[in-house]
Amino acid sequence: MKDEINSIEKKDTWELATLPSGHQAIGVKWVYKVKKNANGEVERYKARLVAKGYKQKHGVDYEEVFAPVARLETILLLVALAAQNRWPIHQMDVKSAFLNGTLEEEVYVEQPQGFMNEGHENKVLRLKKALYGLKQAPRAWDSRLPRQVSSNGFSRCVHEYALYVKKEKDEILFVCIYVDDLILTGNNTQMYGDFQKAMAQEFEMRDMGLMSYY
């Protein structure tokens, strides 16, 4: 839970504020999950602070919510293509991805249980960036990630918005995105290394190595 709060504050996600009249603060709650690896062994214990998005009102707290993710058929096709060409498949993960999405709306949430600001218990938190659970969180994240991928020379597929490709002569690299999980495959390891460094400069990334479980 402390790691989650530290991550939120590091990204300058919110600021302490007095709730303006006419606004309602959205509640938050803690969600706990045990992450397991391909062998079913416990990899880590995860705590996530989640906004109670079901209390949001359309047109007041949010507008657009849609964000594309890769279709299962696309992922299977990419794995088949890699197998046929003997390309390695790498996996990357963006840590606390939704916290990178900038909000356009004015949204307030209650202070999280166990982490109230002493002496300011009656105040709320004004969100600068998205929290998990907000209806517009996926949309806010999707508006940020494509810009970063495209700025590194990748073109977005017109038939599959979660698939990107970069081609230089006979060298090629595919990037397939499912929310905060990235699958990369191609015939040039240098292109992968350059992309990995570029992403790490913008986001907190976790290099999961060669794909063994998805």
Side-chain angles (χ1 to χ4, degrees):
M1 291 165 72
K2 287 180 180 178
D3 287 343
E4 174 76 349
I5 292 294
N6 289 338
S7 180
I8 289 171
E9 292 180 343
K10 184 179 178 181
K11 289 179 172 62
D12 194 29
T13 304
W14 59 38
E15 61 183 3
L16 199 65
T18 301
L19 185 66
S21 58
H23 285 267
Q24 182 179 359
I26 300 166
V28 294
K29 65 179 180 179
W30 287 101
V31 176
Y32 307 101
K33 190 174 183 179
V34 178
K35 302 283 281 187
K36 297 182 178 180
N37 59 22
N39 298 321
E41 301 165 339
V42 175
E43 195 173 59
R44 57 194 170 102
Y45 295 93
K46 191 173 184 178
R48 176 79 73 199
L49 185 66
V50 176
K52 297 179 180 179
Y54 55 85
K55 290 189 176 182
Q56 289 182 273
K57 294 180 180 179
H58 183 262
V60 178
D61 300 308
Y62 70 95
E63 294 291 342
E64 288 288 336
V65 298
F66 174 77
V69 294
R71 289 174 291 181
L72 180 60
E73 293 88 348
T74 303
I75 296 168
L76 292 172
L77 180 62
L78 204 62
V79 172
L81 187 66
Q84 185 180 34
N85 290 283
R86 297 179 179 269
W87 295 341
I89 306 176
H90 294 270
Q91 250 184 301
M92 295 174 68
D93 175 69
V94 185
K95 294 182 181 179
S96 302
F98 283 4
L99 302 184
N100 292 287
T102 304
L103 289 181
E104 296 178 1
E105 304 85 0
E106 192 173 350
V107 181
Y108 297 87
V109 297
E110 297 173 356
Q111 295 188 55
Q113 185 179 2
F115 295 90
M116 304 281 285
N117 284 268
E118 193 173 345
H120 299 282
E121 290 82 1
N122 294 327
K123 290 194 173 185
V124 295
L125 298 165
R126 183 182 184 278
L127 294 181
K128 301 178 184 178
K129 296 180 180 177
L131 268 187
Y132 282 82
L134 289 180
K135 290 185 180 294
Q136 68 266 50
R139 180 70 173 184
W141 166 237
D142 181 67
S143 67
R144 177 90 187 274
L145 182 61
R147 289 201 304 268
Q148 180 62 18
V149 178
S150 298
S151 68
N152 283 281
F154 285 82
S155 300
R156 198 176 200 174
C157 177
V158 295
H159 301 293
E160 171 62 277
Y161 281 2
L163 182 65
Y164 295 80
V165 61
K166 183 176 183 179
K167 193 172 183 181
E168 296 176 353
K169 295 182 180 179
D170 295 329
E171 298 170 346
I172 194 167
L173 180 65
F174 290 96
V175 176
C176 190
I177 300 170
Y178 195 98
V179 188
D180 57 355
D181 288 316
L182 281 68
I183 298 174
L184 302 97
T185 190
N187 60 1
N188 188 291
T189 54
Q190 182 61 46
M191 289 175 70
Y192 166 73
D194 292 342
F195 177 75
Q196 183 188 37
K197 290 176 183 176
M199 290 293 288
Q201 288 177 353
E202 188 72 16
F203 308 113
E204 274 193 83
M205 304 294 300
R206 189 161 64 102
D207 186 2
M208 302 169 69
L210 295 174
M211 188 170 76
S212 61
Y213 175 73
Y214 187 77

